[in-house]
Amino acid sequence: MDNLSHSVVGLAAGELLHRCLPPEPDSLRQGLRRRFLLLACWLASNFPDLDIVLSPLLPAPLGYLLHHRGHTHTVLYAFPQAVLLAGLMWLLWPAARRLLRESRSARIGFGVALLVGFGLHLLMDYLNSYGIHPFHPFDSHWLYGDMVFILEPVFWVAFGVTMAMTVRRPAWRILFVALLLGAPLYFTIHEFLTWTGYAVLCLIAIVLGLMQHRAGTHGTRALVLAFMLGLGFVGVQGAASRTARHAVTAILQSKDPASHVADISLSSFPTNPVCWAFVSVESNAAAGSYRLRRGTVSVLPDLVPVAACPANFLDGAVPEQGERTIAFAQEVHGSLALLRDLKERNCHFRAWMRFARAPMVSDKEASDLRFSASPRGNFTALDFEEFRQKECPKHVPQWDFPRADLLDVPWQSTARRH
């Protein structure tokens, strides 16, 4: 997820934790504990993304692809990260150090804040189609939630507005709420969100804002409701994702019964459980080929036909005449023999395949079709000529191959989804 989502959810968790703990004996210590737990939960909710500093261990784009969401996004390595963060906060904040010595509730809250913060980060990153492998080194499969878009305004508004209403100065409250609602308004005007979706966001903001205003400095109802809405939204997205996967699978199988649908990567439209972007992977072992398709699918085609999905996320997908469920934007054919040959003789490509879920490969270049519509270009692109004279990379994490099925790797199964 984006770091704004990580931040507002982490702050809300820290605020709720503080309010659930027994109060400190005086207002100064109570205020210090609140600030301490908010900071601890916010830092823990973002700390794993510091893995960006590991990118230089491998040449671009391998460094980012293999080290981002890498070891710091595993359950095993969350513990040393938590110890490091706890040590830094202990050393750099003398007042908090004294509080921890004197207050049992502060010590309990600090431990829970670290646990919750790191746990929330892993869970939220699991929700989208990029993937994580949280159980490495015991299980190095990539896990893909395929449920929530990587930038999700529902989280910004539900948690952000609730936290904005805890700010004491009215001018700052108004500014934060305006920013949290202004960003989705901009995306709606530019046809990334629907006006219906934006209206729902405004309703959430009004309800939670009023509840938090009435809750004062001790009430928890608004915060609890924010987390219930967040969990409910993820549940709806999960059900819609399964429906979208079944619909795409059925349509692809009807188009080519000889091919096997190996995988479907799904990414929802923001604040929109109806419209989904997909990238499918089909294989035909007898023909020695595989096929990738990219497009958009509606899970409620009678109510919202695919052509009515937000225009700027259709990305060139055009439905066939009379088609209401699915629209295809791109189709790519690949050779299983070329894929396997490159994996054996090209060590840079072999490392790259430890990330690629939808490999689009030619004799000159490889890229992951999931990111072909990225605003900054396809950041996964691997130019073979650029690496021709370079030594094989070191420090390659041993993640399982997401497309082990296409590579015919017998000791691995394909990447797992929710």
Side-chain angles (χ1 to χ4, degrees), residues 13-56:
E15 182 72 35
L16 181 59
L17 174 61
H18 167 70
R19 296 184 181 213
C20 290
L21 289 170
E24 298 295 327
D26 60 73
S27 60
L28 290 178
R29 282 176 52 170
Q30 181 76 352
L32 174 61
R33 190 186 74 184
R34 177 177 181 267
R35 293 191 299 273
F36 181 62
L37 294 184
L38 285 177
L39 181 62
C41 220
W42 174 73
L43 287 172
S45 294
N46 286 278
F47 206 80
D49 281 341
L50 291 176
D51 58 9
I52 195 73
V53 303
L54 300 177
S55 294

Side-chain angles (χ1 to χ4, degrees), residues 145-147 236-246 266 276 299 418:
D146 287 354
M147 286 183 275
V236 169
Q237 292 293 107
S241 174
R242 288 189 291 273
T243 301
R245 177 168 286 108
H246 293 323
L266 287 162
W276 294 77
V299 299
H418 73 285

Side-chain angles (χ1 to χ4, degrees), residues 101-114:
R101 289 193 182 113
E102 298 168 359
S103 171
R104 182 172 181 271
S105 65
R107 292 193 294 272
I108 292 173
F110 187 34
V112 174
L114 294 176

Side-chain angles (χ1 to χ4, degrees), residues 281-297:
V281 182
E282 304 166 72
S283 64
N284 188 327
S289 64
Y290 71 98
R291 176 169 51 216
L292 309 176
R293 302 192 214 225
R294 182 170 61 86
T296 304
V297 62

Side-chain angles (χ1 to χ4, degrees), residues 260-410:
H260 166 66
V261 180
D263 191 15
I264 297 172
S265 169
L266 287 162
S267 182
S268 70
F269 285 31
T271 320
N272 187 337
V274 177
C275 297
W276 294 77
F278 72 87
V279 172
S280 63
V281 182
E282 304 166 72
S283 64
N284 188 327
S289 64
Y290 71 98
R291 176 169 51 216
L292 309 176
R293 302 192 214 225
R294 182 170 61 86
T296 304
V297 62
S298 170
V299 299
L300 294 175
D302 294 332
L303 182 64
V304 182
V306 67
C309 290
N312 273 327
F313 270 105
L314 283 172
D315 191 39
V318 179
E320 296 178 0
Q321 185 68 29
E323 175 61 57
R324 300 173 65 86
T325 302
I326 198 167
F328 293 97
Q330 187 176 1
E331 181 173 324
V332 178
H333 294 263
S335 164
L336 291 174
L338 174 62
L339 201 68
R340 294 166 184 175
D341 179 61
L342 282 170
K343 183 253 180 181
E344 292 301 320
R345 63 181 174 84
N346 188 322
C347 56
H348 295 94
F349 178 77
R350 183 162 58 250
W352 182 83
M353 283 299 293
R354 294 190 182 276
F355 170 83
R357 186 179 179 185
M360 185 167 53
V361 180
S362 69
D363 291 325
K364 297 180 179 180
E365 184 183 74
S367 60
D368 192 315
L369 188 60
R370 287 179 294 169
F371 306 103
S372 61
S374 172
R376 55 174 170 155
N378 197 326
F379 61 91
T380 69
L382 182 75
D383 186 337
F384 296 150
E385 184 62 33
E386 182 181 346
F387 290 89
R388 189 175 301 278
Q389 303 300 324
K390 293 185 178 179
E391 296 182 357
C392 287
K394 301 177 181 178
H395 311 295
V396 175
Q398 296 301 294
W399 319 134
D400 287 352
F401 296 103
R403 290 273 63 87
D405 46 359
L406 300 186
L407 294 172
D408 197 25
V409 179

